[in-house]
Amino acid sequence: MYRCISSLLPSCLRGLLFPICCLLFIYMPGCTAQPSSPFRMVFWNVENLFDCEPDTLYNDREFLPGSLRGWHYGRYKKKLTDIARVISALGEGTPPALVGLCEVENDRVIRDLVRYSPLKEWDYRYVMTDSSDPRGIDVALLYQRDRFSLLSWQAVPISGNHKRSRSYRDILHVTGRLLSGDTLDVVVCHFPSRSAGRRETEAFRLTAARQVRALADSLMAIRALPGIVIMGDLNDFPHNRSVREVIGAGIPDPDCVPDRLYHLLARKAKNRDMAAINTRENGACWII
């Protein structure tokens, strides 16, 4: 039967790599085979990738020289190098074609990552959001343009009707063409955290999940043979309402039923060891 995550996918996306601390939904009924090497993609919450320059528009004081964290240029450059080395090592000689990232401060840190770190030899390009998050953190997608030809991208804002005001991080929607000729829609997101309590913040994550589901539904409606990948940090478990009820991601189905989103580790999530992959904020990030 199916013995690994990648074998649960259509042939065009077998060989995907998933690092710890990510989530991924997938809907790929119309995708055909890639002609040569596996098409790999990853998502990674790189946790506070900040530069050392003050930003008057956002609260980045925690990551400035002289702060309690003692953040400085040397530590910033080391973090870039460490991230680059991990990404480079993921593909056994061929790094992932797509890399989703969250908790990145601005365009500068992504530019430094792809141009001035060991990652530069892989010739990544990138797109990213510019959200109204109080700390200025955003999401980004790195792509190798020889394997993913960028067609379009947009930042999708999230708005909610809550008694308390809330600033959301925009959703990043990227459309590209694969070597096979198939069109792939990639959605990168970072939902509100649980830092003020799981129940107290659940409504915010439900709002973000509704926006993601609406985006997926719109793509399924306009694409003849849609290929959709949703990756990010949802700050929720697979059994939570945002994932189970709103986004509606189910257990992977070998028959790939149309109009379904699949949670790639839904079966594994029942195992307590898998549920403890990430303990920050009570286990927030998932491979799906």
Side-chain angles (χ1 to χ4, degrees), residues 2-9:
Y2 294 95
R3 300 178 186 271
C4 65
I5 294 174
S6 64
S7 63
L8 293 171
L9 307 179

Side-chain angles (χ1 to χ4, degrees), residues 51-54 60-68 70-73:
D51 61 26
C52 303
E53 301 296 325
D60 64 350
R61 293 187 296 273
E62 188 178 3
F63 289 90
L64 294 177
S67 66
L68 291 177
W71 195 245
H72 54 75
Y73 185 73

Side-chain angles (χ1 to χ4, degrees), residues 31-278:
C31 195
T32 57
Q34 284 287 88
S36 55
S37 62
F39 186 91
R40 296 183 171 99
M41 62 185 75
V42 304
F43 176 83
W44 190 1
N45 181 333
V46 291
E47 295 193 7
N48 300 314
L49 180 55
F50 280 76
D51 61 26
C52 303
E53 301 296 325
D55 191 327
T56 58
L57 298 178
Y58 301 105
N59 180 14
D60 64 350
R61 293 187 296 273
E62 188 178 3
F63 289 90
L64 294 177
S67 66
L68 291 177
R69 284 186 178 268
W71 195 245
H72 54 75
Y73 185 73
R75 294 185 64 186
Y76 168 63
K77 290 293 289 185
K78 183 180 185 303
K79 187 175 180 82
L80 290 175
T81 299
D82 291 344
I83 292 171
R85 286 176 174 169
V86 170
I87 294 173
S88 298
L90 284 173
E92 299 176 347
T94 304
L98 301 177
V99 181
L101 300 173
C102 77
E103 290 202 16
V104 294
E105 184 187 13
N106 51 35
D107 181 85
R108 175 184 174 179
V109 301
I110 298 298
R111 185 179 69 250
D112 287 350
L113 178 64
V114 300
R115 295 183 184 178
Y116 305 111
S117 80
L119 207 60
K120 64 183 179 182
E121 66 177 288
W122 300 111
D123 197 30
Y124 279 104
R125 299 294 190 271
Y126 67 91
V127 290
M128 67 179 299
T129 59
D130 184 13
S131 305
S132 58
D133 178 85
R135 295 199 303 138
I137 57 174
D138 288 294
V139 299
L141 183 73
L142 315 185
Y143 63 94
Q144 292 183 326
R145 58 181 179 175
D146 59 334
R147 293 194 284 164
F148 181 82
S149 177
L150 182 67
L151 298 176
S152 66
W153 70 276
Q154 63 173 332
V156 181
I158 301 172
S159 60
N161 184 20
H162 304 293
K163 293 181 180 179
R164 290 181 292 162
S165 61
R166 175 80 200 198
S167 295
Y168 292 89
R169 292 173 281 263
D170 291 347
I171 298 167
L172 178 62
H173 171 212
V174 184
T175 303
R177 182 170 290 113
L178 307 180
L179 292 177
S180 63
D182 294 300
T183 297
L184 178 65
D185 288 286
V186 182
V187 178
V188 188
C189 51
H190 186 188
F191 285 7
S193 77
R194 298 181 171 200
S195 57
R198 179 183 64 82
R199 293 186 178 182
E200 292 79 0
T201 57
E202 182 181 43
F204 303 136
R205 288 186 296 282
L206 292 176
T207 295
R210 292 186 188 101
Q211 184 66 63
V212 167
R213 182 71 229 194
L215 177 57
D217 287 341
S218 68
L219 293 171
M220 291 179 189
I222 65 175
R223 301 274 193 257
L225 295 172
I228 304 169
V229 169
I230 303 170
M231 59 171 70
D233 184 344
L234 295 190
N235 282 302
D236 263 340
F237 289 110
H239 62 268
N240 291 134
R241 291 177 60 199
S242 64
V243 181
R244 186 184 75 253
E245 298 178 14
V246 180
I247 295 178
I251 294 175
D253 186 343
D255 297 326
C256 202
V257 177
D259 301 323
R260 287 288 305 277
L261 292 171
Y262 293 99
H263 182 319
L264 297 186
L265 279 186
R267 291 191 184 95
K268 295 287 187 180
K270 296 179 181 179
N271 183 311
R272 185 62 185 172
D273 292 336
M274 289 300 300
I277 284 177
N278 186 292

